[in-house]
Amino acid sequence: MTKPTGLVWHELLMWHDTHALAGFMQSGRGVIEPDEPSESAAGKRRIKNLLDVAGLTEQLLLIKPRPAREEELGRVHHVDYIARLKAMSDADGGDAALGDPVGVTPFGPGGYEIAALAAGGVLEAVDAIMEGRVANAYALLRPPGHHAEAARGFGFCIFNHGALAARHAQLVHGLQRVAILDWDVHHGNGAERIFWTDPSVLTISIHQDNCYPPQSGLIDAIGGGPGAGYNVNVPLPPGCGSGAYLAAMDRVILPALRAFSPEMIIIASGLDAGAYDPQARMMLGGSAFAAMTKRVMNVAADCCDGRLLLNHEGGYHRPSVPFLGLAIIEALSGLKGSVEDPFEPIIAGMTGQDLQPHQDAAIRRVEAQLSDV
Amino acid sequence: MTKPTGLVWHELLMWHDTHALAGFMQSGRGVIEPDEPSESAAGKRRIKNLLDVAGLTEQLLLIKPRPAREEELGRVHHVDYIARLKAMSDADGGDAALGDPVGVTPFGPGGYEIAALAAGGVLEAVDAIMEGRVANAYALLRPPGHHAEAARGFGFCIFNHGALAARHAQLVHGLQRVAILDWDVHHGNGAERIFWTDPSVLTISIHQDNCYPPQSGLIDAIGGGPGAGYNVNVPLPPGCGSGAYLAAMDRVILPALRAFSPEMIIIASGLDAGAYDPQARMMLGGSAFAAMTKRVMNVAADCCDGRLLLNHEGGYHRPSVPFLGLAIIEALSGLKGSVEDPFEPIIAGMTGQDLQPHQDAAIRRVEAQLSDV
Amino acid sequence: MTKPTGLVWHELLMWHDTHALAGFMQSGRGVIEPDEPSESAAGKRRIKNLLDVAGLTEQLLLIKPRPAREEELGRVHHVDYIARLKAMSDADGGDAALGDPVGVTPFGPGGYEIAALAAGGVLEAVDAIMEGRVANAYALLRPPGHHAEAARGFGFCIFNHGALAARHAQLVHGLQRVAILDWDVHHGNGAERIFWTDPSVLTISIHQDNCYPPQSGLIDAIGGGPGAGYNVNVPLPPGCGSGAYLAAMDRVILPALRAFSPEMIIIASGLDAGAYDPQARMMLGGSAFAAMTKRVMNVAADCCDGRLLLNHEGGYHRPSVPFLGLAIIEALSGLKGSVEDPFEPIIAGMTGQDLQPHQDAAIRRVEAQLSDV
Amino acid sequence: MTKPTGLVWHELLMWHDTHALAGFMQSGRGVIEPDEPSESAAGKRRIKNLLDVAGLTEQLLLIKPRPAREEELGRVHHVDYIARLKAMSDADGGDAALGDPVGVTPFGPGGYEIAALAAGGVLEAVDAIMEGRVANAYALLRPPGHHAEAARGFGFCIFNHGALAARHAQLVHGLQRVAILDWDVHHGNGAERIFWTDPSVLTISIHQDNCYPPQSGLIDAIGGGPGAGYNVNVPLPPGCGSGAYLAAMDRVILPALRAFSPEMIIIASGLDAGAYDPQARMMLGGSAFAAMTKRVMNVAADCCDGRLLLNHEGGYHRPSVPFLGLAIIEALSGLKGSVEDPFEPIIAGMTGQDLQPHQDAAIRRVEAQLSDV
Ligand SMILES: [Zn+2]
Ligand SMILES: [Zn+2]
Ligand SMILES: [Zn+2]
Ligand SMILES: [Zn+2]
């Protein structure tokens, strides 16, 4: 491969402040003792650190974020949501979920500037891909984006990076069809709703069934109006390993992508389907993420000259997450770092990695749904 | 209930030093960046803190640990293992797993004294139960114990608390039959091996199939020699909720306990089958742990005047683990704390809580195995 | 000594949430990367933990806090300040300093209930002392109190515990004269201002000259109106050790206390004059704090039947602070714990522990000021 | 300025593992509860992070470390010390101070490789300066080096970076005279002893009098044999601010440097004379460090074409240390970052920043000592 893989990274994004959380819950009121937030800088910083130590960073092309402008954010998000965020950020920070405790998304003073910088990093990555400066790109950023909806943040997400990237590719670079594949273990509710009636953006989410948000990501949510058939949910039962994920890729997701023939593919790349993630019950290791990455790269190579952008989303087990990220970026770039993943052989040995009959049945239900459309 | 529930607690146990771990792996050598250990004081301290804030601690009878003597430890552990531990502890600490990276069990200077104090806490709890000072007891201590074998520590465990408690009950209090039920999500390999040929101690472990230790806890490991039939493994597939656990209790574990008619029941009470635990893939919440506790209490009431000791084992999701511990201790004591569990409704709503056909099949395999014996 | 020393402690106070701070500054806005707050639970918890391990806690009489009522808080604080705190606490928390960045005092949701519980703990301690249940008492609580003024919090402090204790002793127990000695290394601005014109409460502060709050605690601030002469500031230059502190005690503070002949003595017991404290430049060790404690106990024995209450204030070096607290409580109780202070010999060997000429001159300036009055 | 300032940085150095420390003491044995080490990655990482956010990093020339070879380390350190380090590193790590509790210097498995990489970073910086690729350089690395002696580590330091740099400049680049100025607040005992009899390396240390190591850094330690007069200690009393430091620079240190006329100047750049450092009692802010940097730059410009290398040493107050480092690097590079130091005005306002008479006397004693030589 002659073109490098791009890496979006900016130190200021690591200063996004989520400390009002203990795990994923707001602490306080004599119920939850304060503790560390699950969505923290450390989880992302450790990925970057491992890329550095493994010798990969210096072989990637660093894409430097710039702040997304309000009108760029306004392509996806409501003006009054943006204004409320700015007001909170100019004061002492606040909650981008606007008080919904299920989606609590705290940020600190100056948090708007950080969130806008993350969003701008994604836009820069789209530019770098479209202009051919990089073969593909991984945007290693926070806050995450895939739960954010048009008029509110949710689930640690403030702006919807996948949606903003898709609109940027369409509006600035003139693309017609963009596909968003969300392999974060939680449902990609944001893109589903934002593009519900829009057939120009295919949205696919593979996730643990009814894990988060509650009652979201069901199989029969296929989009509406002209967008009907352009939203695909692949809910899997808890406990799936690489067998189930790769079967779902091969039987459902890749065919859907090919049928749509996107001009760019965007992946909401949560790593929380990893085998040690506290916030879901799946069992993937680095090799599974690498295999999924390569499969999508193949589609991208066939459909759209390899144009592929991965936006980092969830992933909460600090010791192992860096190796999942490393595996993906090695696959994307064709490079091989100097560090071996010590978790991979343990995860590979876990009972349940192969496709199980009840997992096969879950995938068959999606296949049936799709053949109806 | 007129007698109180006992609580074993000692601040010094919280000073056990496991910081050589990042998660469950030894950090270093340019592979794993140092980070927090999964087995840490915070995970246990937070349970105690919630008991305090909920107003429960002051209604329990505090059982104060004393150091277990070498001859008491020698009832279960080899003399040379004890000697090696002491030598490492008198120097700068070391690894109780004696170099096995799969079982790495670091401790600091003075770690022997801490481990002996934890073991002594369990012995004091047995005394308190046998002497009728408490109705039952929860030993909230660390390091954990259930992976420790006769001649080595393993999986964060130094001395096997369940085994030591059983031997103490037999040798000091004259009991004939003691049952150890291990509901930590990882296999109770320690007690299985220690009592492999011993029919006087029934050992039962319900755990995620082949999760940890690797290839341990298989269904056909039933004990040997005179102990054949006195070890029961209940391996469950990843992704089980309360439906599977309670079915396994009702169909396998409780009948086995009743058939054995123990004079005391000991539970290796890991909380890592909790729905957010990073080190396994199960989905239990506080109500499931409470229900399991009550079921075993009923057996204990019928078999052995309610004599029941729970030794704390694993459980690694700091925000939610306190509520699992609270639920168990509320069940044990018949008390109700002043704090509601905010995780319980979320966990209850997760898809997969009901018994699934493939989980039912796994339990049926155990039933078949047992009927063979 | 026949009566025990009381210890005020409540787990919920450790849940006070100050995480918006990195050290003593609010993090955010792209200037200060988020980090740990200097005023945190760990700093106080570690004192309690060492008391536990040293075997002292069980020999003290535990005084359990109850929430201070609004009318009790209103004896010192303005009604509208209390109301604003409650409103912020019922929402997502806020800043008790009401936006003054120099005094930033963040708290989380439910923070009012925690602050009121801390204040109530102090009132309970006064009751225990006045009713003769304890010989004296140490209130190991947070948030601290000595910077709080009538109408606003400041410097991590929400309610002024010393002032509330003094008023409680006067209004409920009928005392006429109460003395407050503040040996926190920062100026006791709260009590100074609250009792500025009140001759019934002698307020003395020994502190690093012009350290915090800025330009506060100057030598010529002696009180006003009928309170003139009833406020004593003892500003010391940076770098003082036990020599300077004990000279100031013997030459200024103890004579002033004896001259006033209080019916109760309250100490704002910050430990941040310790030799490793990041937030000041003094050099005290445990033996100096013990010596200061014994000197005040002697005055209290002579003046007021030993009635002495210490309220915990600052102290930010987590490894060494527990030993300073231990030394004080050993002195108060006449007990000796089982742990030796490893910092004491290091601190004792530091150059500059003896009274230096320029320190002597600073004390002479206070003596001159006092002789004028 | 046409040539850039070099910055030595490598992520792996941040993986150096000192977690056996709580503060600066080894935890354990029931005396010191485990806690965070004072010498940690965070303290250095935060400097780098601020350089990134302030926009400086990208204007510096990154100097990438390579492992120092054993023969390079052997120019300063004993062969058997190096061998012992390697043996410990290949096992589970150990203590580079070889058991001296005053100097305890823990490291983890693979710690030798990290320490050798830090040392090699310094050598690369010398090469970059000597070859004219950079105007000067800041080596932002850990472990620190200035307490390390020929045959043992000490005080968190494993290899003596200043000494290694001086020898490299002499042996590889042919320099005759190298000066090492140590402004870490603790005594630069390592270089003093290593070059005690060597007149080719002038060693100067300005430090808090008798702070650390105990009884080290006294005024009459001037070197021995042919090295007599080539070691200068400037012990200052606790509590000094910029006035004392700049007076000592102007009256003692800069004249001594000019008299020696070095061909390269190396600074052991500890930042623990900062106003909030827990491990000393000085009061410097960013502007003082900038002023000291500029003064030494002027000497370097006059003596040796500006050849100046700063090796990072101590500095333990995580929130403020980044701004001290930023101020130094801005001075070195002539650049101005985008972030203002919020601590500077607070520190500038502290009483005691001006030269005090007793501080003047301490400097006069050094002047007298020097005029004797
Ligand atoms: Zn997710
Ligand atoms: Zn477990
Ligand atoms: Zn203070
Ligand atoms: Zn230092």
Side-chain angles (χ1 to χ4, degrees):
Chain A
M1 191 180 303
T2 51
K3 284 188 206 165
T5 287
L7 178 72
V8 179
W9 173 262
H10 195 293
E11 173 61 27
L12 188 62
L13 305 181
M14 299 301 110
W15 297 21
H16 171 51
D17 198 346
T18 58
H19 56 211
L21 297 170
F24 59 86
M25 289 268 203
Q26 193 182 30
S27 61
R29 303 206 192 287
V31 177
I32 298 186
E33 183 183 348
D35 203 333
E36 297 186 0
S38 50
E39 202 295 290
S40 69
K44 287 77 191 176
R45 206 184 272 293
R46 285 177 67 93
I47 301 174
K48 173 64 161 47
N49 296 348
L50 183 62
L51 293 174
D52 287 2
V53 164
L56 277 193
T57 308
E58 58 196 351
Q59 303 181 67
L60 305 174
L61 191 142
L62 183 69
I63 298 172
K64 192 179 165 182
R66 48 110 184 149
R69 295 187 303 274
E70 279 190 64
E71 64 268 26
E72 291 171 324
L73 298 169
R75 294 167 185 159
V76 166
H77 295 286
H78 292 190
V79 166
D80 51 346
Y81 171 57
I82 296 171
R84 284 187 68 175
L85 287 174
K86 287 185 86 160
M88 290 188 279
S89 174
D90 288 345
D92 286 340
D95 175 15
L98 309 178
D100 182 337
V102 178
V104 60
T105 302
F107 62 92
Y112 176 86
E113 281 70 29
I114 294 176
L117 189 65
V122 168
L123 304 187
E124 288 288 309
V126 170
D127 291 345
I129 291 169
M130 292 307 302
E131 296 163 8
R133 284 179 277 132
V134 296
N136 46 43
Y138 197 96
L140 181 49
L141 39 72
R142 60 190 288 269
H146 76 132
H147 292 308
E149 301 174 1
R152 65 164 184 176
F154 202 84
F156 314 156
C157 301
I158 297 181
F159 296 126
N160 195 300
H161 299 145
L164 288 166
R167 285 294 183 235
H168 191 71
Q170 292 179 324
L171 295 173
V172 174
H173 297 283
L175 298 195
Q176 303 291 323
R177 292 177 314 286
V178 179
I180 299 176
L181 166 59
D182 186 322
W183 69 36
D184 185 284
V185 79
H186 305 108
H187 178 229
N189 60 294
E192 175 181 287
R193 296 192 190 189
I194 290 164
F195 301 111
W196 184 254
T197 60
D198 185 341
S200 76
V201 180
L202 173 67
T203 51
I204 306 175
S205 176
I206 178 169
H207 48 263
Q208 183 175 322
D209 188 12
N210 184 28
C211 180
Y212 185 84
Q215 298 302 330
S216 186
L218 305 185
I219 201 168
D220 55 0
I222 60 166
Y230 292 90
N231 185 66
V232 179
N233 283 321
V234 188
L236 295 178
C240 289
S242 58
Y245 267 82
L246 294 180
M249 292 292 284
D250 289 339
R251 289 160 49 186
V252 174
I253 294 170
L254 301 173
L257 284 174
R258 288 187 185 277
F260 181 69
S261 192
E263 293 159 294
M264 173 177 266
I265 301 178
I266 297 164
I267 299 179
S269 178
L271 306 182
D272 40 14
Y276 299 105
D277 202 274
Q279 292 184 203
R281 309 283 84 189
M282 299 307 197
M283 300 201 302
L284 300 188
S287 68
F289 277 102
M292 295 198 298
T293 303
K294 286 174 190 158
R295 276 163 164 81
V296 181
M297 288 171 75
N298 287 339
V299 176
D302 294 345
C303 293
C304 52
D305 205 22
R307 288 194 290 263
L308 177 59
L309 166 63
L310 286 81
N311 297 322
H312 193 72
E313 301 286 354
Y316 304 101
H317 184 248
R318 296 200 316 228
S320 66
V321 151
F323 294 94
L324 308 180
L326 178 67
I328 291 172
I329 292 173
E330 286 180 339
L332 276 181
S333 64
L335 301 167
K336 180 74 190 71
S338 63
V339 177
E340 290 302 315
D341 177 358
F343 293 94
E344 177 63 28
I346 307 175
I347 296 170
M350 288 175 174
T351 290
Q353 286 293 355
D354 293 337
L355 179 67
Q356 305 293 310
H358 69 287
Q359 299 164 354
D360 177 70
I363 297 169
R364 267 187 278 115
R365 282 190 290 275
V366 182
E367 292 176 303
Q369 173 74 45
L370 286 182
S371 68
D372 284 359
V373 179
Chain B
M1 193 181 302
T2 49
K3 284 186 206 167
T5 287
L7 178 72
V8 180
W9 173 262
H10 195 293
E11 172 61 27
L12 188 62
L13 305 181
M14 299 301 109
W15 297 22
H16 171 51
D17 197 347
T18 58
H19 55 213
L21 297 171
F24 59 86
M25 289 268 203
Q26 192 181 31
S27 62
R29 301 204 192 291
V31 177
I32 298 187
E33 183 184 349
D35 202 333
E36 296 186 0
S38 50
E39 202 295 290
S40 69
K44 286 75 190 177
R45 206 184 272 293
R46 287 176 66 91
I47 300 174
K48 173 64 161 49
N49 296 349
L50 183 61
L51 293 175
D52 288 0
V53 164
L56 276 192
T57 307
E58 56 196 352
Q59 303 182 66
L60 305 175
L61 189 142
L62 183 70
I63 298 172
K64 192 178 166 184
R66 47 108 186 152
R69 296 187 301 276
E70 279 190 63
E71 63 269 26
E72 291 171 324
L73 298 169
R75 293 169 186 160
V76 166
H77 295 285
H78 292 189
V79 166
D80 52 345
Y81 170 56
I82 296 171
R84 284 186 70 176
L85 287 174
K86 288 185 85 160
M88 289 188 279
S89 174
D90 288 344
D92 285 342
D95 175 14
L98 308 177
D100 182 337
V102 179
V104 61
T105 302
F107 62 93
Y112 176 86
E113 281 69 30
I114 294 176
L117 190 64
V122 168
L123 304 187
E124 287 289 309
V126 170
D127 292 345
I129 291 169
M130 292 306 303
E131 295 164 7
R133 283 179 278 133
V134 296
N136 47 43
Y138 197 96
L140 182 49
L141 37 74
R142 63 189 287 268
H146 76 133
H147 292 309
E149 300 175 1
R152 64 164 184 176
F154 202 83
F156 315 155
C157 301
I158 297 182
F159 296 125
N160 195 300
H161 299 145
L164 288 166
R167 284 296 184 235
H168 191 70
Q170 293 179 323
L171 294 173
V172 174
H173 296 283
L175 298 193
Q176 303 291 323
R177 294 177 313 285
V178 179
I180 299 176
L181 165 60
D182 186 321
W183 70 37
D184 186 284
V185 79
H186 306 108
H187 178 228
N189 60 296
E192 174 180 288
R193 294 191 192 189
I194 290 164
F195 300 111
W196 185 253
T197 61
D198 186 341
S200 75
V201 180
L202 172 68
T203 51
I204 307 175
S205 176
I206 178 169
H207 48 263
Q208 183 174 324
D209 189 13
N210 185 27
C211 180
Y212 185 83
Q215 298 301 329
S216 186
L218 306 186
I219 200 167
D220 55 0
I222 60 165
Y230 293 90
N231 186 66
V232 180
N233 282 322
V234 187
L236 296 177
C240 289
S242 59
Y245 266 81
L246 294 180
M249 291 292 284
D250 289 339
R251 288 159 50 185
V252 174
I253 294 170
L254 301 174
L257 283 174
R258 288 187 183 277
F260 182 69
S261 191
E263 293 159 294
M264 173 178 266
I265 301 178
I266 296 163
I267 299 179
S269 177
L271 307 182
D272 39 14
Y276 298 105
D277 201 274
Q279 294 186 202
R281 307 283 87 189
M282 299 307 196
M283 300 201 300
L284 301 189
S287 68
F289 277 103
M292 295 199 297
T293 302
K294 285 175 191 159
R295 276 163 163 80
V296 180
M297 286 171 75
N298 286 340
V299 175
D302 294 345
C303 292
C304 52
D305 204 21
R307 287 194 289 263
L308 177 59
L309 166 64
L310 285 81
N311 296 322
H312 193 73
E313 302 286 353
Y316 304 102
H317 184 249
R318 296 200 315 229
S320 65
V321 151
F323 294 94
L324 307 180
L326 177 67
I328 291 171
I329 291 173
E330 287 181 338
L332 276 181
S333 64
L335 301 167
K336 180 75 189 72
S338 62
V339 177
E340 290 302 314
D341 177 357
F343 294 95
E344 177 62 28
I346 307 175
I347 296 171
M350 289 175 173
T351 291
Q353 285 293 355
D354 294 337
L355 179 68
Q356 305 293 312
H358 69 287
Q359 298 164 354
D360 178 69
I363 297 169
R364 268 188 276 115
R365 282 191 290 276
V366 183
E367 292 176 304
Q369 173 73 45
L370 286 181
S371 67
D372 284 0
V373 179
Chain C
M1 192 180 300
T2 48
K3 284 186 204 166
T5 288
L7 178 72
V8 180
W9 174 262
H10 196 293
E11 173 61 28
L12 188 62
L13 305 181
M14 300 302 108
W15 297 22
H16 172 50
D17 198 345
T18 59
H19 56 212
L21 298 170
F24 59 86
M25 289 268 204
Q26 192 182 32
S27 61
R29 302 208 191 287
V31 176
I32 297 187
E33 183 183 348
D35 201 333
E36 295 186 1
S38 49
E39 203 296 291
S40 69
K44 286 75 191 176
R45 205 185 271 294
R46 285 175 67 91
I47 301 174
K48 174 64 161 47
N49 296 348
L50 183 62
L51 294 175
D52 287 1
V53 164
L56 277 193
T57 308
E58 58 196 349
Q59 303 182 66
L60 304 174
L61 191 142
L62 183 70
I63 298 172
K64 192 179 166 183
R66 47 110 185 149
R69 296 186 303 274
E70 279 190 64
E71 63 269 25
E72 291 170 323
L73 299 169
R75 295 169 186 160
V76 166
H77 295 285
H78 291 190
V79 165
D80 51 346
Y81 171 56
I82 296 171
R84 283 186 69 175
L85 288 173
K86 288 185 83 160
M88 290 188 279
S89 174
D90 288 344
D92 286 341
D95 175 14
L98 309 176
D100 182 336
V102 178
V104 60
T105 302
F107 62 92
Y112 176 85
E113 281 69 29
I114 293 176
L117 190 63
V122 169
L123 304 187
E124 288 289 309
V126 171
D127 292 345
I129 291 169
M130 291 308 301
E131 295 165 7
R133 283 179 278 132
V134 296
N136 47 44
Y138 197 96
L140 182 49
L141 37 74
R142 62 190 288 268
H146 76 132
H147 291 309
E149 301 174 1
R152 64 164 183 176
F154 202 83
F156 314 156
C157 301
I158 297 181
F159 296 125
N160 195 300
H161 298 146
L164 289 165
R167 285 294 184 235
H168 191 70
Q170 293 179 323
L171 295 173
V172 174
H173 296 284
L175 298 194
Q176 303 292 323
R177 294 178 312 286
V178 179
I180 299 177
L181 165 60
D182 186 321
W183 69 37
D184 187 284
V185 79
H186 305 107
H187 178 229
N189 60 295
E192 175 181 287
R193 297 192 189 188
I194 290 165
F195 300 111
W196 185 253
T197 60
D198 185 341
S200 75
V201 180
L202 172 68
T203 51
I204 306 175
S205 177
I206 179 169
H207 48 263
Q208 183 174 324
D209 189 13
N210 185 27
C211 181
Y212 185 83
Q215 298 302 331
S216 186
L218 306 185
I219 201 168
D220 55 1
I222 60 165
Y230 291 91
N231 186 66
V232 180
N233 282 323
V234 188
L236 296 178
C240 289
S242 58
Y245 267 82
L246 294 181
M249 291 291 284
D250 289 338
R251 288 160 49 186
V252 174
I253 294 170
L254 301 174
L257 284 175
R258 287 188 185 276
F260 181 70
S261 191
E263 293 160 294
M264 174 178 265
I265 302 178
I266 297 163
I267 298 179
S269 178
L271 307 182
D272 39 15
Y276 298 106
D277 202 274
Q279 292 185 204
R281 307 284 85 187
M282 299 307 195
M283 300 201 301
L284 301 188
S287 68
F289 277 103
M292 295 197 299
T293 302
K294 284 175 192 160
R295 276 162 163 81
V296 180
M297 288 172 74
N298 286 338
V299 175
D302 294 343
C303 294
C304 51
D305 205 22
R307 288 194 289 262
L308 177 60
L309 167 63
L310 286 82
N311 296 323
H312 193 74
E313 302 286 352
Y316 305 101
H317 184 248
R318 296 200 313 229
S320 66
V321 150
F323 294 94
L324 308 180
L326 178 66
I328 291 171
I329 292 173
E330 287 181 338
L332 276 182
S333 64
L335 301 167
K336 180 73 190 71
S338 63
V339 177
E340 290 302 314
D341 177 357
F343 293 95
E344 176 62 28
I346 307 174
I347 296 170
M350 288 176 173
T351 291
Q353 286 293 355
D354 294 337
L355 179 68
Q356 306 292 312
H358 69 288
Q359 299 165 354
D360 177 68
I363 296 170
R364 267 187 279 117
R365 282 191 289 276
V366 182
E367 291 175 304
Q369 173 74 46
L370 285 183
S371 67
D372 285 0
V373 179
Chain D
M1 191 181 304
T2 49
K3 284 185 205 167
T5 287
L7 178 72
V8 179
W9 174 261
H10 195 293
E11 172 62 27
L12 188 61
L13 306 181
M14 299 302 109
W15 297 22
H16 171 49
D17 196 346
T18 58
H19 56 210
L21 297 170
F24 59 86
M25 290 268 203
Q26 193 181 31
S27 61
R29 303 206 193 289
V31 177
I32 298 187
E33 183 184 349
D35 202 333
E36 295 187 2
S38 49
E39 203 297 291
S40 70
K44 287 75 192 178
R45 205 184 273 292
R46 286 175 66 91
I47 301 174
K48 174 63 160 50
N49 296 348
L50 182 63
L51 293 174
D52 288 1
V53 165
L56 277 192
T57 307
E58 59 196 350
Q59 303 182 66
L60 305 173
L61 190 142
L62 183 70
I63 298 173
K64 191 179 165 181
R66 47 114 184 144
R69 296 186 303 275
E70 279 190 63
E71 62 269 26
E72 291 171 325
L73 298 170
R75 294 169 185 159
V76 166
H77 294 285
H78 292 190
V79 166
D80 51 346
Y81 170 57
I82 296 171
R84 284 186 69 175
L85 286 174
K86 288 185 83 159
M88 289 187 281
S89 173
D90 289 345
D92 286 340
D95 175 16
L98 309 176
D100 182 338
V102 179
V104 60
T105 302
F107 62 92
Y112 176 87
E113 281 69 29
I114 293 175
L117 189 65
V122 169
L123 305 185
E124 288 289 309
V126 171
D127 291 346
I129 291 169
M130 293 307 303
E131 295 164 8
R133 282 179 278 132
V134 297
N136 47 42
Y138 197 97
L140 181 49
L141 37 72
R142 61 189 289 267
H146 76 133
H147 291 309
E149 301 175 1
R152 64 165 183 176
F154 202 84
F156 315 156
C157 301
I158 297 181
F159 296 126
N160 195 301
H161 299 144
L164 289 165
R167 285 296 184 234
H168 191 71
Q170 292 179 322
L171 295 173
V172 174
H173 296 284
L175 298 194
Q176 303 291 323
R177 294 177 314 286
V178 178
I180 299 176
L181 165 60
D182 186 320
W183 69 36
D184 186 284
V185 79
H186 304 108
H187 178 230
N189 60 295
E192 174 181 286
R193 296 191 190 189
I194 289 165
F195 301 111
W196 186 254
T197 60
D198 185 341
S200 75
V201 179
L202 173 67
T203 50
I204 306 175
S205 176
I206 179 169
H207 48 264
Q208 182 174 325
D209 188 13
N210 185 28
C211 180
Y212 185 84
Q215 298 301 329
S216 186
L218 305 186
I219 200 168
D220 55 0
I222 60 166
Y230 293 90
N231 187 66
V232 180
N233 282 323
V234 188
L236 295 178
C240 290
S242 59
Y245 266 82
L246 294 180
M249 292 291 285
D250 290 339
R251 288 160 50 186
V252 174
I253 295 170
L254 301 174
L257 283 174
R258 288 189 184 275
F260 182 70
S261 191
E263 294 161 294
M264 172 176 267
I265 301 178
I266 297 164
I267 298 179
S269 178
L271 307 182
D272 38 15
Y276 299 106
D277 202 275
Q279 294 186 201
R281 307 284 83 188
M282 299 307 197
M283 301 201 301
L284 301 187
S287 68
F289 278 103
M292 295 198 297
T293 302
K294 285 174 190 158
R295 277 163 162 81
V296 180
M297 289 172 75
N298 286 340
V299 175
D302 294 345
C303 293
C304 52
D305 205 23
R307 288 194 288 264
L308 177 60
L309 167 63
L310 285 81
N311 297 322
H312 192 74
E313 303 285 354
Y316 304 102
H317 184 248
R318 296 199 316 228
S320 65
V321 151
F323 294 94
L324 307 180
L326 178 66
I328 291 172
I329 292 172
E330 287 181 337
L332 275 182
S333 64
L335 301 167
K336 181 71 190 75
S338 63
V339 177
E340 291 301 315
D341 177 357
F343 293 95
E344 177 62 28
I346 307 176
I347 296 171
M350 287 176 175
T351 290
Q353 286 292 354
D354 294 336
L355 179 67
Q356 305 294 312
H358 69 287
Q359 298 165 354
D360 177 70
I363 297 170
R364 268 188 277 116
R365 281 191 290 275
V366 183
E367 291 175 303
Q369 173 74 45
L370 286 182
S371 66
D372 285 359
V373 179

